[in-house]
Amino acid sequence: MLSLNNIQKVFNAGTIDENRLFNDFNLSVADGEFVAVVGSNGSGKTTLLNMICGTSRPDSGKIVFNDNDVTGIPEYKRARRIGRVLQDPKMGTCASLTILENLALADNKNRRYGLSRAVNKRRAEYYKSLLETCNMGLENRLGVLAGSLSGGQRQALALIIATMTDIDLLILDEHTAALDPKSSETLMEITRRVVEEKKYTTLMVTHNLRFAVNYGTRLIMMHEGEAVMDISGEAKQKLAVDDILGKFNEISIECGN
């Protein structure tokens, strides 16, 4: 479904600040896998997602998505089949538009725009059915500006927007990091339900080790551009937070911290 082959990525090449983050990096993700990616700052987590989405390109190597080499394909074209939710709740929605208008824009993804109304009110009931799954009462607030929502509500809306059209891959880039603990828990439950019901292949970067352990079918720990831990199946089900903390502490000692 998705594979990164022999990826090389260097930042500030040829300078005193040169950082060879990825060196012959390989990763394969199968259809339907829900992969939680953890690691310290600078380990390569977000760069990995950016290369998959096309925001950043590797210096060499190949990215294959649905049996197609997409290494040179721009981000906006990859976005037709990839849904992404970012860390900042403000990034996934338009504050000056209503919930209805935000959903209508997303509903028209991959369609040609003509001289017709952008908002089809006949789709309102469908939008309400999507919002009802959040259990936040958003289905009764279609006329409310997205900018007036709480961080948790807005991020839930961003998740609905990212998954309401036909996509093959869902990317979650620390999508709970900016939320309070209760909102984070609520959003993770919404995430779990959406991923399971729609059987999305999913990559989730998170700093919350409990979320990484409790959600998903596979866990990868990144360090200096390498996957130093890759656990799936029954071993993933038996994994405990302390197991990951132990690896984190080991890495920290190796780095002199």
Side-chain angles (χ1 to χ4, degrees):
M1 194 277 178
L2 173 70
S3 64
L4 288 81
N5 306 313
N6 307 116
I7 297 298
Q8 307 277 344
K9 183 65 178 178
V10 181
F11 292 96
N12 305 311
T15 74
I16 194 173
D17 296 318
E18 179 174 306
N19 176 23
R20 183 173 293 277
L21 183 57
F22 288 97
N23 186 22
D24 199 27
F25 177 78
N26 294 278
L27 174 69
S28 294
V29 179
D31 279 333
E33 277 195 307
F34 183 169
V35 185
V37 183
V38 299
S40 58
N41 292 332
S43 61
K45 306 184 301 299
T46 295
T47 301
L48 173 66
L49 298 189
N50 286 339
M51 289 193 295
I52 292 170
C53 293
T55 311
S56 174
R57 293 188 183 182
D59 297 317
S60 64
K62 186 166 63 174
I63 299 174
V64 178
F65 179 45
N66 284 345
D67 298 322
N68 297 310
D69 184 350
V70 299
T71 313
I73 302 298
E75 180 182 15
Y76 76 92
K77 289 187 177 180
R78 297 192 210 184
R80 294 169 183 170
R81 308 303 304 175
I82 298 175
R84 188 174 188 179
V85 184
L86 300 170
Q87 177 178 342
D88 187 349
K90 298 176 184 177
M91 297 295 290
T93 56
C94 182
S96 61
L97 297 181
T98 65
I99 293 176
L100 175 62
E101 290 166 340
N102 272 276
L103 291 170
L105 281 177
D107 205 8
N108 284 295
K109 180 181 178 181
N110 299 333
R111 298 179 185 176
R112 290 183 178 274
Y113 282 90
L115 295 176
S116 59
R117 292 183 180 275
V119 177
N120 182 355
K121 293 186 177 180
R122 288 177 294 182
R123 296 280 285 170
E125 290 304 315
Y126 169 64
Y127 300 152
K128 287 182 179 180
S129 69
L130 295 176
L131 295 170
E132 283 175 352
T133 64
C134 299
N135 295 317
M136 293 180 173
L138 296 177
E139 66 275 11
N140 300 317
R141 306 179 66 189
L142 289 181
V144 171
L145 293 178
S148 69
L149 301 177
S150 69
Q153 291 172 329
R154 198 161 173 181
Q155 200 69 318
L157 177 59
L159 179 61
I160 294 298
I161 286 173
T163 58
M164 68 183 295
T165 55
D166 191 17
I167 60 172
D168 297 316
L169 178 65
L170 177 61
I171 298 291
L172 305 172
D173 191 356
E174 299 184 43
H175 71 312
T176 66
L179 307 180
D180 62 75
K182 182 178 180 180
S183 297
S184 297
E185 296 282 354
T186 300
L187 186 63
M188 279 307 308
E189 277 304 303
I190 297 171
T191 300
R192 178 193 58 76
R193 185 164 57 247
V194 168
V195 170
E196 289 181 358
E197 289 178 356
K198 298 191 176 184
K199 296 179 172 59
Y200 285 135
T201 304
T202 304
L203 272 77
M204 177 182 73
V205 164
T206 179
H207 281 296
N208 189 312
L209 299 185
R210 186 168 57 81
F211 288 167
V213 167
N214 293 343
Y215 294 89
T217 60
R218 180 179 174 189
L219 184 144
I220 292 174
M221 180 183 290
M222 299 293 299
H223 176 60
E224 295 182 347
E226 295 183 8
V228 296
M229 181 182 286
D230 190 345
I231 302 175
S232 59
E234 186 176 348
K236 167 65 168 62
Q237 296 176 10
K238 294 180 178 179
L239 195 65
V241 172
D242 285 346
D243 299 326
I244 310 179
L245 279 174
K247 189 64 176 179
F248 262 126
N249 291 335
E250 178 185 325
I251 290 171
S252 182
I253 292 171
E254 288 175 359
C255 294
N257 296 327

